Amino acid sequence: MAERGGRGSGHGSLDKSITLPPDEIFRNLENAKRFAIDIGGSLTKLAYYSTVQHKVARVRSFDHSGKDIENEPLYEISVQEEITARLHFIKFENTYIETCLDFIKDHLVNTETKVIKATGGGAYKFKDLIEKKLGLKVDKEDVMTCLIKGCNFVLRNIPHEVFVYQKDSDTEFRFQANHPNIFPYLLVNIGSGVSIVKVETEDKFEWIGGSSIGGGTFWGLGALLTKTKKFDELLQLASKGQHTNVDMLVKDVYGGAYQTLGLSGNLIASSFGKSTTADKEFSKEDMAKSLLHMISNDIGQLACLYAKLHNLDKIYFGGFFIRGHPVTMRTITYSINFFSKGEVQALFLRHEGYLGAIGAFLKGAEQDNPNQYSWGENYAGSSGLMSTSPDVYPMQRTRSGTFDMLEMDRLERPLVNLPLLKDPSTYIPDTVDLTDDAMARKYWLTCFEEALDGVAKRAAASQPDSVDAVERAEKFRQKYWNKLQTLRQQPFAYGTLTVRSLLDTREHCLNEFNFPDPYSKVKQKENGIALKCFQSVIESLDSLGWEERQFALVKGLLAGNVFDWGAKAVSDVLESEPQFGFEEAKSKLQERPWLEDSYSQWLERLKEGPPHKCALIFADNSGIDIILGVFPFVRELLSRGTEVILACNSGPALNDVTYSESLIVTERIAAMDPVIHSALRDEKLLLVQTGSSSPCLDLSRLDQGLAVLVRERQTDLVVIEGMGRAIHTNYYAVLRCESLKLAVIKNSWLADRLGGKIFSVIFKYEVPCK
């Protein structure tokens, strides 16, 4: 929102001068179907559900009957319109509420509801205004119920939602992996007062305690002490203050530490204690800081006692007292750590400001059962977490708080953990945390920046018949560039920064501007070329002795993985050398020393052990990779009596093979090869989708159907192939069964960091500990 006019407390003086950019703030409002609103003392959080129309790439097998298919494309590619569901959450100051309601009223077209769910104290204050402006009946919902429903929702659906705050660390935020079981936990909501709620299940929770000393106390006493009326300005004063000028410490009483009781000399003995003895005026900053410590320590001790009483080790803090402010998070964290002796963690949420609005929306959407779906954050439309440091982007520390927008897309099917993860609660998909690793962060951000022009050109070229493709590609380029600049300054904006999150954000931005599959024609061509070579590759393999064939199969898997258009070193070769093929890729591989150790163990397992019952293989790229690399390996496993589940992406990403493409490719291979044909017929070879549209792989968010199949078939071998899936993610993943992780390192910087050369190979065979 742009410039603001004067502020006032009544409806008549609400700001009407601001200009709202609809494409950035109230996106897709014309297709909004249902609304909810959470109005607090200073901020309004609006939630609405909309249908989003966007383009998707579809492939369909041609009818080749009676035709010469030698020069025909393998399949038909079409771009179709698809309608999906999206949740929008927007936060703005109450001062703008009338202008925002007017804007919403003017742009509503397809709303299906006559009711708006509302929560928060302001739901009563602004009830008449909302009903007058929107023509919707306000249906008020219980504040605490909405907060808990919203908290459960974000804990389930948003990876890296939870963080601990570490002010004096190189990384301000330490994000936590999603736990498969979010219950039980303690929710401490710090508004005017403090409410402490024990949450045991989705529908079972109870208020177990609270305090009248909370955010309102800080605000009220702070105003009396410092003559500062605004909450955020009071916090800014506190951030500059030194509480030891006002508070009496243990060392002020005892001359040092109190050794008998084990108390540090720097511990506060009496808040504002020096004000009774010192004959001087104290600064506003010091008094604000002392007041903040006094209230935070009181809340922290109270929360800690309740957590211990109920045997809970997770405490989530929320409410307007928190709102992403560094001074409040730091003092709360210190207090919890001190009183629990490190046994209980103070946890904060990236989107805590939206919990009430999310919960109110869910209450209004219960007939649609939104919890039966999985949801994913749309990075292209979410503003992310801003810096809490006053030294970074100080103009962003406005009274509107830390967050502006959150968008979540409904996924087609529920996502669950891979059942074969040894411990889902400790599984971390990503190999390197770029938030921590400054050198790696600088390299990868620069790498993605340098590749951006090429990606934009590829996107435009993929739609030659579209009159606005170049314009949309430029909008994509600008949006993703802006995201990268934000991440340079605020690497924690969307949780832990990783290569995976950079890739996913790029895919989200491409989809935002209707480029669903820029590599569709490339994949179509390469799949067709590779299929023509399949039989000769199989004949060559079948002519080898057993041990020699096992080596050739693994080498073929790795050579196929070279064909990755997401790697600049490869795309440069493929564009400049059109004849570069399977054999040329084999010659590029830097084989040793992977043979010496892990491969020999794999070979021994094949020689001495019984056949695996079922293998789950996560495929990577289209073309040579899946057809000449993966399928010969699949065929060998099938010949040994091992069933195979072949998992491919549900949606496109780079030149990765999709589930729909794999169906067509497999059908053509089965027509050429009796082993594949009979395996398909007898359901010994099963093709499934992963539920992902990413070049990487998160084993904690997989299609539920895949997980069911893994259990039913008693899978005892997992094969993960590719740089994105086996190096950037899952390199350290621990499974309850045997696993193979294979990839070719197609990045010079990464190869050098790992002590190798470009096109060095990774072959990692792992057996679970008994």
Side-chain angles (χ1 to χ4, degrees):
M1 295 169 200
E3 297 179 358
R4 63 186 71 176
R7 289 194 177 96
S9 57
H11 295 172
S13 59
L14 290 175
D15 194 336
K16 296 184 179 182
S17 65
I18 55 172
T19 301
L20 301 176
D23 58 332
E24 295 178 16
I25 307 297
F26 293 102
R27 286 157 43 97
N28 209 45
L29 188 59
E30 67 278 6
N31 293 315
K33 306 295 183 185
R34 191 178 293 117
F35 288 87
I37 197 165
D38 174 17
I39 309 176
S42 59
L43 294 173
T44 295
K45 287 78 67 177
L46 178 72
Y48 61 95
Y49 160 91
S50 76
T51 53
V52 181
Q53 191 169 16
H54 60 96
K55 296 186 186 299
V56 293
R58 302 288 188 204
V59 298
R60 184 170 63 89
S61 184
F62 281 120
D63 179 10
H64 292 296
S65 57
K67 296 180 182 177
D68 177 11
I69 65 172
E70 184 65 26
N71 297 310
E72 290 286 328
L74 176 62
Y75 48 76
E76 177 185 15
I77 302 171
S78 63
V79 176
Q80 301 173 9
E81 297 288 341
E82 183 177 80
I83 294 176
T84 57
R86 178 173 288 173
L87 298 181
H88 306 255
F89 303 99
I90 302 156
K91 180 191 294 184
F92 51 87
E93 293 179 17
N94 289 354
T95 243
Y96 299 151
I97 190 168
E98 188 168 357
T99 301
C100 291
L101 291 175
D102 282 336
F103 185 89
I104 293 167
K105 178 186 69 176
D106 292 342
H107 290 80
L108 278 184
V109 178
N110 296 316
T111 184
E112 297 173 345
T113 183
K114 299 299 181 185
V115 175
I116 181 170
K117 291 287 184 179
T119 189
Y124 298 88
K125 179 180 179 182
F126 292 99
K127 175 180 179 291
D128 293 341
L129 179 67
I130 295 168
E131 292 186 338
K132 177 184 174 184
K133 293 288 185 182
L134 298 185
L136 301 176
K137 181 180 181 296
V138 172
D139 187 3
K140 296 185 285 293
E141 292 289 344
D142 176 68
V143 172
M144 199 54 62
T145 300
C146 291
L147 284 173
I148 292 162
K149 279 189 171 292
C151 190
N152 294 341
F153 184 83
V154 297
L155 290 176
R156 277 202 185 93
N157 289 285
I158 304 183
H160 303 276
E161 172 66 22
V162 179
F163 64 90
V164 295
Y165 184 71
Q166 306 172 129
K167 176 61 179 175
D168 297 320
S169 170
D170 291 339
T171 306
E172 277 183 286
F173 302 88
R174 176 70 60 188
F175 291 94
Q176 300 202 337
N178 284 27
H179 198 287
N181 185 8
I182 63 174
F183 304 111
Y185 65 84
L186 209 63
L187 177 62
V188 178
N189 190 60
I190 313 172
S192 298
V194 180
S195 292
I196 301 176
V197 181
K198 179 185 178 183
V199 184
E200 296 185 67
T201 67
E202 186 70 43
D203 300 309
K204 185 180 180 183
F205 53 87
E206 62 174 324
W207 186 90
I208 57 174
S211 172
S212 60
I213 300 174
T217 313
F218 175 69
W219 201 346
L221 283 178
L224 289 173
L225 291 169
T226 68
K227 309 302 180 187
T228 301
K229 299 289 186 183
K230 296 173 184 174
F231 185 80
D232 286 8
E233 290 178 12
L234 190 60
L235 283 173
Q236 281 293 91
L237 283 177
S239 70
K240 300 172 184 175
Q242 177 54 261
H243 76 97
T244 55
N245 292 333
V246 180
D247 293 341
M248 188 175 291
L249 307 182
V250 168
K251 64 184 178 184
D252 295 325
V253 179
Y254 297 104
Y258 195 151
Q259 301 287 358
T260 304
L261 296 180
L263 299 179
S264 162
N266 292 319
L267 197 66
I268 298 173
S270 173
S271 296
F272 288 90
K274 289 179 180 176
S275 63
T276 62
T277 58
D279 186 20
K280 65 174 184 177
E281 290 288 324
F282 295 103
S283 73
K284 293 180 179 180
E285 290 83 358
D286 292 346
M287 288 191 291
K289 189 61 168 285
S290 175
L291 181 61
L292 180 69
H293 275 276
M294 181 181 76
I295 293 172
S296 296
N297 285 334
D298 180 70
I299 294 170
Q301 184 175 30
L302 193 63
C304 189
L305 289 171
Y306 275 111
K308 286 191 166 290
L309 181 64
H310 292 271
N311 296 314
L312 300 173
D313 59 4
K314 291 182 293 189
I315 308 178
Y316 297 111
F317 287 90
F320 83 81
F321 185 67
I322 303 295
R323 277 176 47 195
H325 285 284
V327 285
T328 55
M329 291 192 295
R330 186 182 189 183
T331 51
I332 288 285
T333 298
Y334 176 85
S335 176
I336 291 293
N337 189 58
F338 176 81
F339 288 113
S340 75
K341 296 182 170 57
E343 294 178 3
V344 178
Q345 277 193 313
L347 301 170
F348 306 95
L349 304 170
R350 277 202 292 139
H351 300 103
E352 64 87 15
Y354 291 120
L355 300 187
I358 293 172
F361 173 83
L362 293 173
K363 287 287 289 182
E366 285 178 341
Q367 69 271 26
D368 296 330
N369 196 9
N371 282 326
Q372 73 179 319
Y373 301 100
S374 289
W375 300 77
E377 183 175 3
N378 175 30
Y379 297 142
S382 298
S383 49
L385 184 64
M386 293 183 185
S387 176
T388 57
S389 169
D391 301 323
V392 179
Y393 279 51
M395 295 305 293
Q396 292 181 348
R397 295 295 308 157
T398 65
R399 189 169 180 261
S400 60
T402 307
F403 319 121
D404 294 314
M405 292 166 290
L406 165 65
E407 289 185 357
M408 299 191 69
D409 289 328
R410 191 178 75 191
L411 307 180
E412 289 185 11
R413 296 166 71 160
L415 303 182
V416 298
N417 283 300
L418 176 69
L420 296 172
L421 284 172
K422 184 175 182 181
D423 183 1
S425 66
T426 59
Y427 167 70
I428 298 174
D430 304 286
T431 304
V432 178
D433 181 349
L434 302 182
T435 320
D436 274 348
D437 193 329
M439 183 183 295
R441 179 171 71 247
K442 181 179 179 182
Y443 170 77
W444 285 111
L445 285 170
T446 301
C447 186
F448 278 88
E449 286 174 356
E450 291 175 349
L452 184 52
D453 285 346
V455 176
K457 288 177 183 176
R458 168 73 62 183
S462 71
Q463 298 178 7
D465 299 328
S466 173
V467 295
D468 66 343
V470 173
E471 179 186 353
R472 284 186 288 111
E474 174 56 26
K475 287 181 178 179
F476 150 73
R477 191 196 68 78
Q478 191 59 53
K479 183 150 203 167
Y480 188 55
W481 173 266
N482 290 340
K483 294 286 182 186
L484 292 174
Q485 304 323 301
T486 296
L487 290 168
R488 278 197 183 277
Q489 297 295 329
Q490 298 153 208
F492 43 76
Y494 299 102
T496 301
L497 181 63
T498 63
V499 174
R500 175 169 63 102
S501 67
L502 290 171
L503 286 164
D504 289 350
T505 302
R506 187 170 69 184
E507 293 298 323
H508 291 187
C509 291
L510 281 167
N511 281 310
E512 196 67 24
F513 295 101
N514 280 320
F515 293 109
D517 193 357
Y519 289 86
S520 58
K521 295 289 178 64
V522 172
K523 292 187 289 181
Q524 180 193 47
K525 179 182 176 182
E526 293 187 347
N527 282 330
I529 291 171
L531 278 169
K532 293 174 183 178
C533 302
F534 178 76
Q535 285 179 303
S536 63
V537 168
I538 294 301
E539 289 169 4
S540 175
L541 287 167
D542 286 349
S543 69
L544 301 175
W546 183 85
E547 191 162 325
E548 193 178 0
R549 186 168 70 251
Q550 304 314 308
F551 178 82
L553 285 164
V554 169
K555 189 170 183 179
L557 259 179
L558 292 163
N561 191 243
V562 169
F563 293 85
D564 179 357
W565 280 86
K568 188 176 186 301
V570 175
S571 62
D572 287 348
V573 170
L574 296 177
E575 287 177 343
S576 61
E577 301 178 32
Q579 301 307 312
F580 186 87
F582 195 38
E583 296 304 318
E584 288 78 8
K586 289 179 184 178
S587 68
K588 287 269 188 187
L589 299 180
Q590 304 288 319
E591 296 173 10
R592 309 281 177 173
W594 62 275
L595 281 176
E596 312 301 334
D597 201 1
S598 209
Y599 176 73
S600 60
Q601 293 173 21
W602 168 248
L603 193 63
E604 192 67 22
R605 166 64 179 84
L606 295 179
K607 282 181 182 178
E608 304 297 334
H612 296 91
K613 186 170 184 58
C614 180
L616 168 62
I617 300 178
F618 290 99
D620 191 4
N621 305 303
S622 284
I624 288 176
D625 192 355
I626 188 169
I627 294 169
L628 304 185
V630 172
F631 262 102
F633 188 78
V634 167
R635 185 176 178 271
E636 182 75 11
L637 289 172
L638 291 169
S639 299
R640 284 174 56 84
T642 300
E643 296 180 352
V644 175
I645 301 170
L646 183 60
C648 301
N649 267 9
S650 297
L654 296 171
N655 67 313
D656 291 3
V657 63
T658 65
Y659 169 69
S660 56
E661 291 162 352
S662 73
L663 293 175
I664 297 172
V665 165
T666 305
E667 179 187 12
R668 292 292 298 276
I669 290 176
M672 294 185 277
D673 188 90
V675 175
I676 301 298
H677 180 272
S678 61
L680 277 176
R681 182 196 63 210
D682 300 336
E683 296 187 348
K684 303 294 185 185
L685 171 59
L686 299 151
L687 276 62
V688 296
Q689 52 186 314
T690 61
S692 171
S693 298
S694 170
C696 297
L697 180 64
D698 182 351
L699 296 176
S700 69
R701 287 173 68 82
L702 293 176
D703 188 280
Q704 190 174 51
L706 186 156
V708 169
L709 204 55
V710 163
R711 285 195 189 95
E712 288 178 350
R713 297 298 173 115
Q714 300 177 38
T715 302
D716 53 358
L717 172 65
V718 174
V719 180
I720 305 176
E721 182 222 3
M723 249 180 82
R725 291 166 179 78
I727 296 181
H728 293 316
T729 52
N730 297 305
Y731 189 76
Y732 297 118
V734 181
L735 303 179
R736 292 192 289 107
C737 67
E738 295 173 51
S739 63
L740 275 179
K741 298 168 186 175
L742 310 94
V744 177
I745 301 173
K746 293 153 287 196
N747 178 283
S748 297
W749 180 88
L750 181 59
D752 184 64
R753 202 176 215 222
L754 295 174
K757 300 177 181 178
I758 192 166
F759 298 115
S760 292
V761 303
I762 298 293
F763 184 93
K764 196 176 184 187
Y765 171 57
E766 295 175 309
V767 179
C769 298
K770 294 182 180 180

